[in-house]
């Protein structure tokens, strides 16, 4: 059994994002600004909203222009947009409030104080909400910067009939030195004690325990772990199962699991 010692939770991810942001440097690329486009995808099956996020550097400055273009919006809708620190399933702190996308003319352009080179390395995401009075319901999202390349897997409650899904999923994000694995569990549906952390482990296909992850926090339902012993490519094709256990005292009870 191997244990990954270098762990990073959502707070540390946010601090790293702030460190990246503070290291901006001016871009001098001649007369042609660099640009990049990210996909915006519907948050779930009930949302029909998707689109693109275009990033364009402002030459000789520490700024970029962000352009959000949506489709599937209601003509009378108004959709708040924010850039958050961390991956889209960590619910990290808001780094930039971009304003609102008007459903009738669903394009929003905003300049933010971050260099292009820092933006494409940024540990962050974009959240788009249903309306200004409902900042809890996300209708669309985009992984940006260092989180652009990832692979997602569904998690289910093995104790429920028909494989009832009780959480969003777990995701493996590509990193230069390995991978970043984030688990998000809906702890309100688990029936577990308040404040109890839940061990998270990866098992090989033969059932042998391979390595441990950062425990899932009850308050956020999130586990985030830096993996340095496996590359993103290796984990993307890994044959095994990720299990979240009820507690250190009840490790025989699996409350959520997903297969790679």
């Amino acid at each position: 059994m191997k244990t990954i010692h270098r762990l990073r939770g959502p707070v540390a991810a946010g601090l790293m994002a702030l460190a990246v942001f503070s290291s901006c440097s001016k871009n001098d690329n001649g007369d042609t600004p660099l640009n990049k486009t990210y996909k915006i995808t519907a948050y779930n099956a009930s949302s029909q909203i998707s689109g693109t996020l275009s990033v364009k550097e402002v030459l000789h400055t520490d700024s970029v222009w962000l352009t959000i273009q949506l489709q599937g919006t209601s003509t009378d809708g108004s959709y708040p947009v924010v850039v958050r620190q961390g991956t889209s399933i960590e619910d990290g702190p808001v780094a930039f409030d971009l304003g609102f996308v008007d459903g009738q003319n669903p394009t929003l352009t905003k300049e933010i104080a971050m260099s292009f080179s820092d933006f494409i390395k940024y540990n962050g995401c974009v959240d788009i909400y249903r309306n200004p009075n409902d900042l809890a319901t996300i209708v669309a999202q985009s992984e940006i910067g260092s989180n652009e390349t990832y692979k997602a897997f569904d998690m289910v409650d093995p104790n429920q009939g028909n494989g009832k899904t009780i959480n969003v999923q777990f995701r493996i994000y590509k990193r230069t030195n390995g991978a970043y694995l984030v688990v998000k569990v809906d702890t309100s549906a688990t029936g577990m004690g308040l404040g109890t952390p839940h061990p998270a482990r990866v098992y090989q296909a033969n059932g042998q325990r391979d390595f441990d992850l950062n425990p899932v926090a009850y308050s956020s339902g999130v586990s985030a772990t830096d993996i340095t012993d496996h590359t993103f490519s290796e984990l993307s094709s890994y044959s095994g199962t990720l299990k979240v256990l009820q507690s250190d005292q009840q490790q025989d009870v699996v409350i959520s699991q997903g297969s790679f």
Side-chain angles (χ1 to χ4, degrees):
M1 180 190 72
K2 295 177 291 183
T3 300
I4 305 301
H5 295 289
R6 289 185 289 274
L7 304 179
R8 180 174 69 191
V11 173
L15 291 175
M16 177 168 285
L18 287 175
V20 170
F21 170 67
S22 65
S23 66
C24 293
S25 59
K26 288 185 173 61
N27 299 303
D28 294 291
N29 301 304
D31 296 327
T32 305
L34 298 174
N35 62 83
K36 185 175 179 60
T37 300
Y38 298 92
K39 290 183 179 179
I40 296 174
T41 58
Y43 182 71
N44 53 35
S46 64
S47 175
Q48 303 298 315
I49 296 176
S50 60
T52 59
L53 164 64
S54 299
V55 185
K56 184 177 181 180
E57 73 171 337
V58 181
L59 290 174
H60 316 303
T61 74
D62 289 333
S63 300
V64 291
W65 283 106
L66 302 184
T67 300
I68 306 284
Q69 292 183 304
L70 299 180
Q71 56 190 27
T73 58
S74 300
T75 56
D76 59 348
S78 181
Y79 303 88
V81 184
V82 299
V83 176
R84 288 189 181 276
Q85 298 171 22
T87 66
S88 67
I89 60 175
E90 291 180 83
D91 194 27
V94 173
F96 300 98
D97 185 342
L98 303 185
F100 305 89
V101 173
D102 184 345
Q104 190 167 3
N105 180 24
T107 299
L108 168 67
T109 300
K110 182 82 170 183
E111 183 178 3
I112 66 169
M114 184 185 296
S115 71
F116 182 86
S117 61
D118 283 344
F119 191 94
I120 62 175
K121 296 182 294 183
Y122 186 62
N123 177 8
C125 66
V126 170
D127 283 345
I128 300 170
Y129 296 92
R130 184 166 61 180
N131 61 60
N133 298 318
D134 183 2
L135 298 180
T137 303
I138 299 171
V139 295
Q141 284 184 322
S142 176
E143 299 283 17
I144 60 175
S146 65
N147 299 325
E148 180 183 18
T149 302
Y150 69 93
K151 191 169 183 180
F153 304 84
D154 288 335
M155 301 276 287
V156 299
D157 180 357
N159 305 302
Q160 299 290 331
N162 302 319
K164 180 182 177 182
T165 300
I166 64 166
N167 67 296
V168 181
Q169 55 193 198
F170 74 88
R171 292 185 180 186
I172 306 167
Y173 294 85
K174 186 176 183 179
R175 293 293 188 260
T176 57
N177 63 339
Y180 185 51
L181 198 156
V182 183
V183 183
K184 179 66 179 289
V185 176
D186 179 6
T187 54
S188 66
T190 63
M192 295 176 295
L194 291 173
T196 303
H198 316 302
R201 296 171 183 163
V202 173
Y203 296 84
Q204 298 175 6
N206 61 8
Q208 181 178 349
R209 183 173 168 184
D210 193 355
F211 58 92
D212 291 3
L213 303 174
N214 203 12
V216 172
Y218 182 89
S219 57
S220 64
V222 171
S223 162
T225 309
D226 272 325
I227 308 294
T228 56
D229 287 5
H230 296 278
T231 66
F232 172 80
S233 178
E234 289 171 347
L235 288 176
S236 295
S237 57
Y238 185 86
S239 180
T241 303
L242 190 157
K243 296 182 179 181
V244 178
L245 312 180
Q246 181 158 336
S247 66
D248 287 330
Q249 292 72 35
Q250 293 178 288
Q251 297 186 20
D252 57 331
V253 179
V254 178
I255 56 99
S256 185
Q257 68 181 32
S259 298
F260 286 78

